[in-house]
């Protein structure tokens, strides 16, 4: 299960991503928002982060205008490693190296074609499991 949410700046891209996930047969839960009316992105970051931390969803996708505010908000929550990606190299590397559990995107930054490829790369790339990367994640998490 994938948790997905956005603010008004990410609403259009979220619609594209949801249609893409449906086409791929991937289950998702949409935590809002539901229109392009202005909302506060930290609220939506928390909803997706909580679903991931509760274990209801394996991964999350968060979208705001730039992807910056919503990723900052998500990364304040312990256990969340949200990666703002603008290309597929970043999406692949953050899964392999950081075991990122949330992908952040900027709806005003990346077009839908690139965004969908970033989503696929993020969802399809496993964590490398390499000791040095695991050690660094544990240092981030204070373990
Ligand atoms: C909303 O206008 C915009 O500030 C928000 O979507 C995001 O880009 C914040 O980082």
């Amino acid at each position: 299960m994938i948790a997905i949410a956005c603010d008004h700046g990410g609403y259009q891209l979220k619609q594209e991503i949801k249609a893409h996930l449906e086409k791929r047969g991937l289950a998702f839960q949409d935590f809002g928002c539901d229109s392009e009316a202005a909302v506060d992105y930290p609220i939506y970051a928390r909803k997706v982060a909580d679903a991931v931390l509760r274990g209801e969803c394996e991964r999350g996708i968060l979208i705001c205008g730039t992807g910056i505010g919503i990723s900052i908000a998500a990364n304040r929550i312990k256990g969340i490693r949200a990666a703002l990606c603008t290309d597929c190299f970043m999406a692949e590397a953050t899964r392999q190296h950081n075991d990122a559990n949330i992908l952040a995107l900027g709806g005003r930054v990346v077009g839908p074609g690139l965004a969908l490829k970033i989503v696929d790369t993020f969802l399809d790339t496993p964590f490398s499991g390499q000791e040095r990367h695991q050690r660094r994640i544990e240092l981030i998490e204070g373990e």
Side-chain angles (χ1 to χ4, degrees):
M1 180 69 74
I2 297 156
I4 188 164
C6 65
D7 77 351
H8 50 292
Y11 179 74
Q12 284 302 334
L13 181 56
K14 185 178 74 173
Q15 300 305 100
E16 304 258 6
I17 293 172
K18 282 165 51 180
H20 181 69
L21 295 176
E22 266 164 23
K23 255 188 231 156
R24 282 195 55 178
L26 296 173
F28 61 84
Q29 199 177 341
D30 184 355
F31 290 88
C33 66
D34 302 317
S35 76
E36 290 185 284
V39 293
D40 298 326
Y41 57 80
I43 293 168
Y44 297 91
R46 185 165 288 280
K47 285 175 193 277
V48 163
D50 285 348
V52 170
L53 292 174
R54 281 196 303 266
E56 287 168 22
C57 297
E58 301 89 60
R59 306 269 175 83
I61 300 173
L62 288 170
I63 315 142
C64 68
T66 58
I68 296 171
I70 209 156
S71 59
I72 290 172
N75 276 318
R76 295 293 295 270
I77 300 166
K78 187 170 166 49
I80 292 301
R81 294 179 301 283
L84 171 57
C85 297
T86 54
D87 62 40
C88 293
F89 176 81
M90 296 169 82
E92 184 180 54
T94 198
R95 287 290 311 128
Q96 291 174 336
H97 294 200
N98 316 123
D99 197 14
N101 46 18
I102 292 182
L103 169 66
L105 292 166
R108 297 171 183 156
V109 179
V110 289
L114 175 58
L116 299 184
K117 287 209 177 296
I118 293 172
V119 166
D120 283 344
T121 304
F122 184 81
L123 295 179
D124 297 342
T125 304
F127 175 48
S128 71
Q130 289 178 318
E131 193 277 333
R132 68 181 187 282
H133 295 308
Q134 185 61 45
R135 182 178 69 241
R136 291 162 190 162
I137 291 166
E138 286 167 15
L139 286 167
I140 291 171
E141 299 297 345
E143 288 165 6

